[in-house]
Amino acid sequence: SSHDRVSTLARFSAGIAAELRGLLAQVGRDVQHFRSQGTHGSTRSLTEDAEDPIEAVKRRLRQVQELVSELAMVGEIDPNEGVAQLDLVDVMRSAARSLAPQIERGGVEVKTVLVPDRPEARVPIRMSPRAVTLIARALLGQAVAATPRGMVVTVTIMAAGVETASLGPRMQIDDGGGSLPATARRAFVALELEPSTFGRPSSIPL
């Protein structure tokens, strides 16, 4: 219904606004800290574990840019786009390549597992190319952001008929971060709860 569509749009807009306010407020605090250090003649009074204020600002702004890029990609989706024959393995590998800078900065490893495991495996799917590309990037990006440095993100791609003949191709992404209770998942994706409550990154892309 139109009411449901408006409610969804309102939640999405509120989630975006909250995310941007949070990131930009942190930038403001980082800049203020930098100015305060400069006033006292040095920026080197930071403790050994503290992040350099300039690097902190750069990191926050990268997060803002990544969020805006994801929103721009959503805007490029054409609801009338036709479906095409795609390979789910290629889709996920392409998503990993596009997220390579984020993966490197996070210090995580992305491992792909094919089921069944065979050389040159292909898992054909029929979907809208832009839509499936966005879904793959959003899921993998969320997993990378949720995974602590030095840990592994595992992407499992299962061909049609695995386990049960009636099941089609499937993809499962397991991150190395804190678990999200099953009862909170719907509210998490619907932007109805604060992700940091469960130690998770933003759910806006999802």
Side-chain angles (χ1 to χ4, degrees), residues 1-41:
S1 69
S2 59
H3 179 269
D4 291 337
R5 288 194 294 270
V6 171
S7 296
T8 299
L9 180 60
R11 285 198 306 271
F12 187 61
S13 299
I16 293 170
E19 184 79 6
L20 288 174
R21 277 198 303 267
L23 287 170
L24 293 175
Q26 291 170 340
V27 169
R29 287 193 293 269
D30 291 334
V31 170
Q32 184 59 40
H33 177 76
F34 179 67
R35 293 178 62 186
S36 175
Q37 293 291 332
T39 301
H40 291 86

PDB file of all heavy atoms in Angstrom, residues 1-41:
ATOM      1  N   SER A   1       0.835  -1.190   0.000  1.00  0.00           N
ATOM      2  CA  SER A   1       0.000   0.000   0.000  1.00  0.00           C
ATOM      3  C   SER A   1       0.877   1.249   0.000  1.00  0.00           C
ATOM      4  O   SER A   1       2.068   1.192   0.319  1.00  0.00           O
ATOM      5  CB  SER A   1      -0.912   0.002   1.225  1.00  0.00           C
ATOM      6  OG  SER A   1      -0.165   0.186   2.404  1.00  0.00           O
ATOM      7  N   SER A   2       0.270   2.387  -0.309  1.00  0.00           N
ATOM      8  CA  SER A   2       1.025   3.643  -0.330  1.00  0.00           C
ATOM      9  C   SER A   2       1.527   3.986   1.065  1.00  0.00           C
ATOM     10  O   SER A   2       2.610   4.547   1.230  1.00  0.00           O
ATOM     11  CB  SER A   2       0.151   4.774  -0.879  1.00  0.00           C
ATOM     12  OG  SER A   2      -1.011   4.938  -0.071  1.00  0.00           O
ATOM     13  N   HIS A   3       0.739   3.636   2.109  1.00  0.00           N
ATOM     14  CA  HIS A   3       1.161   3.903   3.494  1.00  0.00           C
ATOM     15  C   HIS A   3       2.424   3.123   3.823  1.00  0.00           C
ATOM     16  O   HIS A   3       3.361   3.660   4.440  1.00  0.00           O
ATOM     17  CB  HIS A   3       0.042   3.524   4.453  1.00  0.00           C
ATOM     18  CG  HIS A   3       0.399   3.739   5.900  1.00  0.00           C
ATOM     19  ND1 HIS A   3       0.985   2.737   6.667  1.00  0.00           N
ATOM     20  CD2 HIS A   3       0.281   4.826   6.706  1.00  0.00           C
ATOM     21  CE1 HIS A   3       1.214   3.195   7.881  1.00  0.00           C
ATOM     22  NE2 HIS A   3       0.786   4.458   7.944  1.00  0.00           N
ATOM     23  N   ASP A   4       2.473   1.854   3.413  1.00  0.00           N
ATOM     24  CA  ASP A   4       3.651   1.028   3.680  1.00  0.00           C
ATOM     25  C   ASP A   4       4.870   1.575   2.953  1.00  0.00           C
ATOM     26  O   ASP A   4       5.985   1.577   3.501  1.00  0.00           O
ATOM     27  CB  ASP A   4       3.398  -0.413   3.250  1.00  0.00           C
ATOM     28  CG  ASP A   4       2.372  -1.113   4.147  1.00  0.00           C
ATOM     29  OD1 ASP A   4       2.208  -0.655   5.295  1.00  0.00           O
ATOM     30  OD2 ASP A   4       1.742  -2.078   3.683  1.00  0.00           O
ATOM     31  N   ARG A   5       4.678   2.029   1.708  1.00  0.00           N
ATOM     32  CA  ARG A   5       5.807   2.566   0.931  1.00  0.00           C
ATOM     33  C   ARG A   5       6.342   3.836   1.572  1.00  0.00           C
ATOM     34  O   ARG A   5       7.555   4.044   1.656  1.00  0.00           O
ATOM     35  CB  ARG A   5       5.377   2.822  -0.516  1.00  0.00           C
ATOM     36  CG  ARG A   5       5.170   1.554  -1.327  1.00  0.00           C
ATOM     37  CD  ARG A   5       5.091   1.840  -2.804  1.00  0.00           C
ATOM     38  NE  ARG A   5       3.917   2.626  -3.150  1.00  0.00           N
ATOM     39  CZ  ARG A   5       2.742   2.087  -3.484  1.00  0.00           C
ATOM     40  NH1 ARG A   5       2.597   0.778  -3.502  1.00  0.00           N
ATOM     41  NH2 ARG A   5       1.714   2.848  -3.798  1.00  0.00           N
ATOM     42  N   VAL A   6       5.433   4.693   2.033  1.00  0.00           N
ATOM     43  CA  VAL A   6       5.855   5.932   2.687  1.00  0.00           C
ATOM     44  C   VAL A   6       6.572   5.619   3.998  1.00  0.00           C
ATOM     45  O   VAL A   6       7.597   6.231   4.327  1.00  0.00           O
ATOM     46  CB  VAL A   6       4.644   6.857   2.936  1.00  0.00           C
ATOM     47  CG1 VAL A   6       5.050   8.032   3.819  1.00  0.00           C
ATOM     48  CG2 VAL A   6       4.093   7.377   1.619  1.00  0.00           C
ATOM     49  N   SER A   7       6.065   4.640   4.743  1.00  0.00           N
ATOM     50  CA  SER A   7       6.696   4.264   6.013  1.00  0.00           C
ATOM     51  C   SER A   7       8.102   3.723   5.774  1.00  0.00           C
ATOM     52  O   SER A   7       9.043   4.044   6.515  1.00  0.00           O
ATOM     53  CB  SER A   7       5.852   3.208   6.730  1.00  0.00           C
ATOM     54  OG  SER A   7       4.594   3.729   7.093  1.00  0.00           O
ATOM     55  N   THR A   8       8.255   2.915   4.741  1.00  0.00           N
ATOM     56  CA  THR A   8       9.579   2.365   4.410  1.00  0.00           C
ATOM     57  C   THR A   8      10.536   3.484   4.023  1.00  0.00           C
ATOM     58  O   THR A   8      11.695   3.513   4.470  1.00  0.00           O
ATOM     59  CB  THR A   8       9.459   1.358   3.262  1.00  0.00           C
ATOM     60  OG1 THR A   8       8.612   0.283   3.659  1.00  0.00           O
ATOM     61  CG2 THR A   8      10.830   0.796   2.889  1.00  0.00           C
ATOM     62  N   LEU A   9      10.062   4.413   3.196  1.00  0.00           N
ATOM     63  CA  LEU A   9      10.895   5.531   2.782  1.00  0.00           C
ATOM     64  C   LEU A   9      11.277   6.401   3.965  1.00  0.00           C
ATOM     65  O   LEU A   9      12.432   6.856   4.074  1.00  0.00           O
ATOM     66  CB  LEU A   9      10.155   6.375   1.733  1.00  0.00           C
ATOM     67  CG  LEU A   9      10.902   7.608   1.188  1.00  0.00           C
ATOM     68  CD1 LEU A   9      12.205   7.182   0.522  1.00  0.00           C
ATOM     69  CD2 LEU A   9      10.023   8.370   0.202  1.00  0.00           C
ATOM     70  N   ALA A  10      10.330   6.608   4.882  1.00  0.00           N
ATOM     71  CA  ALA A  10      10.605   7.431   6.067  1.00  0.00           C
ATOM     72  C   ALA A  10      11.675   6.785   6.941  1.00  0.00           C
ATOM     73  O   ALA A  10      12.594   7.455   7.422  1.00  0.00           O
ATOM     74  CB  ALA A  10       9.322   7.650   6.861  1.00  0.00           C
ATOM     75  N   ARG A  11      11.579   5.462   7.157  1.00  0.00           N
ATOM     76  CA  ARG A  11      12.587   4.758   7.961  1.00  0.00           C
ATOM     77  C   ARG A  11      13.953   4.812   7.289  1.00  0.00           C
ATOM     78  O   ARG A  11      14.974   5.015   7.948  1.00  0.00           O
ATOM     79  CB  ARG A  11      12.175   3.295   8.170  1.00  0.00           C
ATOM     80  CG  ARG A  11      11.059   3.089   9.172  1.00  0.00           C
ATOM     81  CD  ARG A  11      11.022   1.652   9.649  1.00  0.00           C
ATOM     82  NE  ARG A  11      10.948   0.702   8.549  1.00  0.00           N
ATOM     83  CZ  ARG A  11       9.814   0.271   8.006  1.00  0.00           C
ATOM     84  NH1 ARG A  11       8.663   0.713   8.465  1.00  0.00           N
ATOM     85  NH2 ARG A  11       9.837  -0.603   7.026  1.00  0.00           N
ATOM     86  N   PHE A  12      13.969   4.625   5.981  1.00  0.00           N
ATOM     87  CA  PHE A  12      15.228   4.659   5.232  1.00  0.00           C
ATOM     88  C   PHE A  12      15.867   6.034   5.336  1.00  0.00           C
ATOM     89  O   PHE A  12      17.065   6.169   5.596  1.00  0.00           O
ATOM     90  CB  PHE A  12      14.952   4.295   3.776  1.00  0.00           C
ATOM     91  CG  PHE A  12      16.194   4.131   2.945  1.00  0.00           C
ATOM     92  CD1 PHE A  12      17.140   3.171   3.263  1.00  0.00           C
ATOM     93  CD2 PHE A  12      16.407   4.935   1.833  1.00  0.00           C
ATOM     94  CE1 PHE A  12      18.280   3.006   2.488  1.00  0.00           C
ATOM     95  CE2 PHE A  12      17.540   4.780   1.064  1.00  0.00           C
ATOM     96  CZ  PHE A  12      18.481   3.814   1.382  1.00  0.00           C
ATOM     97  N   SER A  13      15.062   7.084   5.156  1.00  0.00           N
ATOM     98  CA  SER A  13      15.574   8.455   5.236  1.00  0.00           C
ATOM     99  C   SER A  13      16.089   8.765   6.632  1.00  0.00           C
ATOM    100  O   SER A  13      17.141   9.391   6.800  1.00  0.00           O
ATOM    101  CB  SER A  13      14.478   9.453   4.848  1.00  0.00           C
ATOM    102  OG  SER A  13      14.050   9.240   3.512  1.00  0.00           O
ATOM    103  N   ALA A  14      15.334   8.319   7.654  1.00  0.00           N
ATOM    104  CA  ALA A  14      15.766   8.558   9.032  1.00  0.00           C
ATOM    105  C   ALA A  14      17.065   7.823   9.331  1.00  0.00           C
ATOM    106  O   ALA A  14      17.952   8.345  10.015  1.00  0.00           O
ATOM    107  CB  ALA A  14      14.670   8.107  10.002  1.00  0.00           C
ATOM    108  N   GLY A  15      17.198   6.614   8.798  1.00  0.00           N
ATOM    109  CA  GLY A  15      18.427   5.854   8.998  1.00  0.00           C
ATOM    110  C   GLY A  15      19.625   6.521   8.356  1.00  0.00           C
ATOM    111  O   GLY A  15      20.710   6.604   8.951  1.00  0.00           O
ATOM    112  N   ILE A  16      19.436   7.018   7.141  1.00  0.00           N
ATOM    113  CA  ILE A  16      20.520   7.723   6.452  1.00  0.00           C
ATOM    114  C   ILE A  16      20.919   8.972   7.229  1.00  0.00           C
ATOM    115  O   ILE A  16      22.107   9.254   7.432  1.00  0.00           O
ATOM    116  CB  ILE A  16      20.087   8.113   5.021  1.00  0.00           C
ATOM    117  CG1 ILE A  16      19.887   6.859   4.171  1.00  0.00           C
ATOM    118  CG2 ILE A  16      21.128   9.028   4.369  1.00  0.00           C
ATOM    119  CD1 ILE A  16      19.233   7.139   2.844  1.00  0.00           C
ATOM    120  N   ALA A  17      19.912   9.744   7.651  1.00  0.00           N
ATOM    121  CA  ALA A  17      20.192  10.976   8.391  1.00  0.00           C
ATOM    122  C   ALA A  17      20.956  10.675   9.680  1.00  0.00           C
ATOM    123  O   ALA A  17      21.930  11.352  10.017  1.00  0.00           O
ATOM    124  CB  ALA A  17      18.881  11.705   8.706  1.00  0.00           C
ATOM    125  N   ALA A  18      20.529   9.645  10.410  1.00  0.00           N
ATOM    126  CA  ALA A  18      21.200   9.298  11.669  1.00  0.00           C
ATOM    127  C   ALA A  18      22.640   8.861  11.415  1.00  0.00           C
ATOM    128  O   ALA A  18      23.559   9.231  12.157  1.00  0.00           O
ATOM    129  CB  ALA A  18      20.427   8.192  12.377  1.00  0.00           C
ATOM    130  N   GLU A  19      22.836   8.063  10.351  1.00  0.00           N
ATOM    131  CA  GLU A  19      24.186   7.585  10.032  1.00  0.00           C
ATOM    132  C   GLU A  19      25.110   8.748   9.679  1.00  0.00           C
ATOM    133  O   GLU A  19      26.237   8.833  10.166  1.00  0.00           O
ATOM    134  CB  GLU A  19      24.109   6.610   8.862  1.00  0.00           C
ATOM    135  CG  GLU A  19      25.429   5.972   8.493  1.00  0.00           C
ATOM    136  CD  GLU A  19      25.796   4.830   9.425  1.00  0.00           C
ATOM    137  OE1 GLU A  19      24.962   4.468  10.275  1.00  0.00           O
ATOM    138  OE2 GLU A  19      26.914   4.317   9.307  1.00  0.00           O
ATOM    139  N   LEU A  20      24.631   9.653   8.825  1.00  0.00           N
ATOM    140  CA  LEU A  20      25.459  10.788   8.417  1.00  0.00           C
ATOM    141  C   LEU A  20      25.722  11.731   9.588  1.00  0.00           C
ATOM    142  O   LEU A  20      26.837  12.238   9.745  1.00  0.00           O
ATOM    143  CB  LEU A  20      24.781  11.539   7.266  1.00  0.00           C
ATOM    144  CG  LEU A  20      24.786  10.825   5.913  1.00  0.00           C
ATOM    145  CD1 LEU A  20      23.961  11.608   4.895  1.00  0.00           C
ATOM    146  CD2 LEU A  20      26.213  10.642   5.398  1.00  0.00           C
ATOM    147  N   ARG A  21      24.708  11.969  10.415  1.00  0.00           N
ATOM    148  CA  ARG A  21      24.913  12.827  11.587  1.00  0.00           C
ATOM    149  C   ARG A  21      25.980  12.241  12.503  1.00  0.00           C
ATOM    150  O   ARG A  21      26.843  12.955  13.013  1.00  0.00           O
ATOM    151  CB  ARG A  21      23.599  13.010  12.361  1.00  0.00           C
ATOM    152  CG  ARG A  21      22.697  14.092  11.818  1.00  0.00           C
ATOM    153  CD  ARG A  21      21.661  14.508  12.858  1.00  0.00           C
ATOM    154  NE  ARG A  21      20.864  13.376  13.314  1.00  0.00           N
ATOM    155  CZ  ARG A  21      19.696  13.027  12.776  1.00  0.00           C
ATOM    156  NH1 ARG A  21      19.210  13.723  11.764  1.00  0.00           N
ATOM    157  NH2 ARG A  21      19.026  11.999  13.249  1.00  0.00           N
ATOM    158  N   GLY A  22      25.901  10.932  12.709  1.00  0.00           N
ATOM    159  CA  GLY A  22      26.880  10.286  13.568  1.00  0.00           C
ATOM    160  C   GLY A  22      28.294  10.402  13.034  1.00  0.00           C
ATOM    161  O   GLY A  22      29.229  10.746  13.762  1.00  0.00           O
ATOM    162  N   LEU A  23      28.463  10.130  11.738  1.00  0.00           N
ATOM    163  CA  LEU A  23      29.798  10.198  11.132  1.00  0.00           C
ATOM    164  C   LEU A  23      30.338  11.620  11.142  1.00  0.00           C
ATOM    165  O   LEU A  23      31.504  11.854  11.480  1.00  0.00           O
ATOM    166  CB  LEU A  23      29.745   9.666   9.698  1.00  0.00           C
ATOM    167  CG  LEU A  23      29.581   8.151   9.544  1.00  0.00           C
ATOM    168  CD1 LEU A  23      29.299   7.795   8.096  1.00  0.00           C
ATOM    169  CD2 LEU A  23      30.810   7.421  10.055  1.00  0.00           C
ATOM    170  N   LEU A  24      29.489  12.593  10.765  1.00  0.00           N
ATOM    171  CA  LEU A  24      29.961  13.977  10.674  1.00  0.00           C
ATOM    172  C   LEU A  24      30.202  14.567  12.065  1.00  0.00           C
ATOM    173  O   LEU A  24      31.097  15.399  12.243  1.00  0.00           O
ATOM    174  CB  LEU A  24      28.954  14.818   9.894  1.00  0.00           C
ATOM    175  CG  LEU A  24      28.834  14.427   8.410  1.00  0.00           C
ATOM    176  CD1 LEU A  24      27.726  15.225   7.732  1.00  0.00           C
ATOM    177  CD2 LEU A  24      30.156  14.648   7.676  1.00  0.00           C
ATOM    178  N   ALA A  25      29.436  14.133  13.058  1.00  0.00           N
ATOM    179  CA  ALA A  25      29.690  14.595  14.428  1.00  0.00           C
ATOM    180  C   ALA A  25      31.052  14.104  14.899  1.00  0.00           C
ATOM    181  O   ALA A  25      31.786  14.831  15.573  1.00  0.00           O
ATOM    182  CB  ALA A  25      28.589  14.096  15.363  1.00  0.00           C
ATOM    183  N   GLN A  26      31.401  12.882  14.534  1.00  0.00           N
ATOM    184  CA  GLN A  26      32.712  12.342  14.887  1.00  0.00           C
ATOM    185  C   GLN A  26      33.817  13.115  14.193  1.00  0.00           C
ATOM    186  O   GLN A  26      34.879  13.374  14.782  1.00  0.00           O
ATOM    187  CB  GLN A  26      32.775  10.855  14.528  1.00  0.00           C
ATOM    188  CG  GLN A  26      31.896   9.987  15.406  1.00  0.00           C
ATOM    189  CD  GLN A  26      31.774   8.569  14.895  1.00  0.00           C
ATOM    190  OE1 GLN A  26      32.020   8.291  13.724  1.00  0.00           O
ATOM    191  NE2 GLN A  26      31.396   7.654  15.771  1.00  0.00           N
ATOM    192  N   VAL A  27      33.573  13.503  12.932  1.00  0.00           N
ATOM    193  CA  VAL A  27      34.558  14.322  12.211  1.00  0.00           C
ATOM    194  C   VAL A  27      34.767  15.633  12.950  1.00  0.00           C
ATOM    195  O   VAL A  27      35.902  16.100  13.130  1.00  0.00           O
ATOM    196  CB  VAL A  27      34.100  14.591  10.754  1.00  0.00           C
ATOM    197  CG1 VAL A  27      34.987  15.652  10.105  1.00  0.00           C
ATOM    198  CG2 VAL A  27      34.153  13.308   9.939  1.00  0.00           C
ATOM    199  N   GLY A  28      33.654  16.246  13.396  1.00  0.00           N
ATOM    200  CA  GLY A  28      33.762  17.506  14.126  1.00  0.00           C
ATOM    201  C   GLY A  28      34.573  17.356  15.403  1.00  0.00           C
ATOM    202  O   GLY A  28      35.400  18.215  15.731  1.00  0.00           O
ATOM    203  N   ARG A  29      34.367  16.271  16.127  1.00  0.00           N
ATOM    204  CA  ARG A  29      35.139  16.041  17.347  1.00  0.00           C
ATOM    205  C   ARG A  29      36.615  15.814  17.039  1.00  0.00           C
ATOM    206  O   ARG A  29      37.491  16.296  17.765  1.00  0.00           O
ATOM    207  CB  ARG A  29      34.560  14.843  18.107  1.00  0.00           C
ATOM    208  CG  ARG A  29      33.227  15.136  18.783  1.00  0.00           C
ATOM    209  CD  ARG A  29      32.862  14.049  19.776  1.00  0.00           C
ATOM    210  NE  ARG A  29      32.583  12.778  19.095  1.00  0.00           N
ATOM    211  CZ  ARG A  29      31.384  12.402  18.681  1.00  0.00           C
ATOM    212  NH1 ARG A  29      30.342  13.216  18.830  1.00  0.00           N
ATOM    213  NH2 ARG A  29      31.209  11.235  18.105  1.00  0.00           N
ATOM    214  N   ASP A  30      36.889  15.083  15.941  1.00  0.00           N
ATOM    215  CA  ASP A  30      38.284  14.841  15.555  1.00  0.00           C
ATOM    216  C   ASP A  30      38.986  16.162  15.205  1.00  0.00           C
ATOM    217  O   ASP A  30      40.127  16.396  15.600  1.00  0.00           O
ATOM    218  CB  ASP A  30      38.352  13.901  14.345  1.00  0.00           C
ATOM    219  CG  ASP A  30      37.909  12.483  14.694  1.00  0.00           C
ATOM    220  OD1 ASP A  30      38.038  12.109  15.874  1.00  0.00           O
ATOM    221  OD2 ASP A  30      37.439  11.772  13.796  1.00  0.00           O
ATOM    222  N   VAL A  31      38.278  17.020  14.455  1.00  0.00           N
ATOM    223  CA  VAL A  31      38.860  18.311  14.074  1.00  0.00           C
ATOM    224  C   VAL A  31      39.090  19.173  15.310  1.00  0.00           C
ATOM    225  O   VAL A  31      40.132  19.830  15.446  1.00  0.00           O
ATOM    226  CB  VAL A  31      37.942  19.042  13.067  1.00  0.00           C
ATOM    227  CG1 VAL A  31      38.419  20.472  12.851  1.00  0.00           C
ATOM    228  CG2 VAL A  31      37.918  18.293  11.738  1.00  0.00           C
ATOM    229  N   GLN A  32      38.127  19.176  16.235  1.00  0.00           N
ATOM    230  CA  GLN A  32      38.268  19.958  17.461  1.00  0.00           C
ATOM    231  C   GLN A  32      39.462  19.476  18.279  1.00  0.00           C
ATOM    232  O   GLN A  32      40.220  20.277  18.835  1.00  0.00           O
ATOM    233  CB  GLN A  32      36.990  19.865  18.289  1.00  0.00           C
ATOM    234  CG  GLN A  32      37.009  20.730  19.540  1.00  0.00           C
ATOM    235  CD  GLN A  32      37.199  22.207  19.237  1.00  0.00           C
ATOM    236  OE1 GLN A  32      36.632  22.727  18.271  1.00  0.00           O
ATOM    237  NE2 GLN A  32      38.017  22.888  20.026  1.00  0.00           N
ATOM    238  N   HIS A  33      39.637  18.161  18.324  1.00  0.00           N
ATOM    239  CA  HIS A  33      40.782  17.600  19.050  1.00  0.00           C
ATOM    240  C   HIS A  33      42.088  18.041  18.398  1.00  0.00           C
ATOM    241  O   HIS A  33      43.038  18.423  19.080  1.00  0.00           O
ATOM    242  CB  HIS A  33      40.690  16.071  19.058  1.00  0.00           C
ATOM    243  CG  HIS A  33      41.867  15.410  19.721  1.00  0.00           C
ATOM    244  ND1 HIS A  33      42.027  15.378  21.092  1.00  0.00           N
ATOM    245  CD2 HIS A  33      42.955  14.770  19.205  1.00  0.00           C
ATOM    246  CE1 HIS A  33      43.142  14.739  21.385  1.00  0.00           C
ATOM    247  NE2 HIS A  33      43.719  14.362  20.261  1.00  0.00           N
ATOM    248  N   PHE A  34      42.095  18.023  17.059  1.00  0.00           N
ATOM    249  CA  PHE A  34      43.291  18.438  16.333  1.00  0.00           C
ATOM    250  C   PHE A  34      43.617  19.910  16.596  1.00  0.00           C
ATOM    251  O   PHE A  34      44.761  20.284  16.839  1.00  0.00           O
ATOM    252  CB  PHE A  34      43.075  18.212  14.834  1.00  0.00           C
ATOM    253  CG  PHE A  34      44.239  18.637  13.982  1.00  0.00           C
ATOM    254  CD1 PHE A  34      45.454  17.969  14.040  1.00  0.00           C
ATOM    255  CD2 PHE A  34      44.111  19.709  13.102  1.00  0.00           C
ATOM    256  CE1 PHE A  34      46.524  18.359  13.252  1.00  0.00           C
ATOM    257  CE2 PHE A  34      45.175  20.105  12.314  1.00  0.00           C
ATOM    258  CZ  PHE A  34      46.382  19.431  12.388  1.00  0.00           C
ATOM    259  N   ARG A  35      42.572  20.755  16.585  1.00  0.00           N
ATOM    260  CA  ARG A  35      42.776  22.176  16.853  1.00  0.00           C
ATOM    261  C   ARG A  35      43.270  22.400  18.268  1.00  0.00           C
ATOM    262  O   ARG A  35      44.118  23.246  18.528  1.00  0.00           O
ATOM    263  CB  ARG A  35      41.481  22.943  16.611  1.00  0.00           C
ATOM    264  CG  ARG A  35      41.035  22.974  15.148  1.00  0.00           C
ATOM    265  CD  ARG A  35      39.727  23.703  14.987  1.00  0.00           C
ATOM    266  NE  ARG A  35      39.843  25.092  15.398  1.00  0.00           N
ATOM    267  CZ  ARG A  35      38.813  25.931  15.471  1.00  0.00           C
ATOM    268  NH1 ARG A  35      37.592  25.497  15.171  1.00  0.00           N
ATOM    269  NH2 ARG A  35      38.987  27.180  15.837  1.00  0.00           N
ATOM    270  N   SER A  36      42.719  21.635  19.209  1.00  0.00           N
ATOM    271  CA  SER A  36      43.133  21.761  20.598  1.00  0.00           C
ATOM    272  C   SER A  36      44.595  21.381  20.772  1.00  0.00           C
ATOM    273  O   SER A  36      45.351  22.068  21.457  1.00  0.00           O
ATOM    274  CB  SER A  36      42.260  20.860  21.484  1.00  0.00           C
ATOM    275  OG  SER A  36      42.730  20.881  22.821  1.00  0.00           O
ATOM    276  N   GLN A  37      45.010  20.322  20.102  1.00  0.00           N
ATOM    277  CA  GLN A  37      46.399  19.906  20.178  1.00  0.00           C
ATOM    278  C   GLN A  37      47.305  20.967  19.563  1.00  0.00           C
ATOM    279  O   GLN A  37      48.377  21.277  20.088  1.00  0.00           O
ATOM    280  CB  GLN A  37      46.593  18.571  19.442  1.00  0.00           C
ATOM    281  CG  GLN A  37      45.907  17.382  20.099  1.00  0.00           C
ATOM    282  CD  GLN A  37      46.565  17.006  21.407  1.00  0.00           C
ATOM    283  OE1 GLN A  37      47.749  17.231  21.602  1.00  0.00           O
ATOM    284  NE2 GLN A  37      45.795  16.432  22.314  1.00  0.00           N
ATOM    285  N   GLY A  38      46.834  21.558  18.453  1.00  0.00           N
ATOM    286  CA  GLY A  38      47.631  22.600  17.798  1.00  0.00           C
ATOM    287  C   GLY A  38      47.768  23.836  18.655  1.00  0.00           C
ATOM    288  O   GLY A  38      48.817  24.483  18.697  1.00  0.00           O
ATOM    289  N   THR A  39      46.718  24.175  19.390  1.00  0.00           N
ATOM    290  CA  THR A  39      46.749  25.345  20.266  1.00  0.00           C
ATOM    291  C   THR A  39      47.817  25.214  21.333  1.00  0.00           C
ATOM    292  O   THR A  39      48.463  26.185  21.728  1.00  0.00           O
ATOM    293  CB  THR A  39      45.374  25.548  20.936  1.00  0.00           C
ATOM    294  OG1 THR A  39      44.391  25.729  19.930  1.00  0.00           O
ATOM    295  CG2 THR A  39      45.394  26.740  21.858  1.00  0.00           C
ATOM    296  N   HIS A  40      48.032  23.979  21.766  1.00  0.00           N
ATOM    297  CA  HIS A  40      49.022  23.744  22.798  1.00  0.00           C
ATOM    298  C   HIS A  40      50.402  23.421  22.230  1.00  0.00           C
ATOM    299  O   HIS A  40      51.277  22.948  22.938  1.00  0.00           O
ATOM    300  CB  HIS A  40      48.568  22.594  23.712  1.00  0.00           C
ATOM    301  CG  HIS A  40      47.385  22.952  24.549  1.00  0.00           C
ATOM    302  ND1 HIS A  40      46.097  22.823  24.089  1.00  0.00           N
ATOM    303  CD2 HIS A  40      47.296  23.465  25.814  1.00  0.00           C
ATOM    304  CE1 HIS A  40      45.249  23.222  25.024  1.00  0.00           C
ATOM    305  NE2 HIS A  40      45.948  23.617  26.079  1.00  0.00           N
ATOM    306  N   GLY A  41      50.527  23.649  20.911  1.00  0.00           N
ATOM    307  CA  GLY A  41      51.857  23.604  20.304  1.00  0.00           C
ATOM    308  C   GLY A  41      52.302  22.278  19.756  1.00  0.00           C
ATOM    309  O   GLY A  41      53.390  22.175  19.218  1.00  0.00           O
TER     310      GLY A  41
END
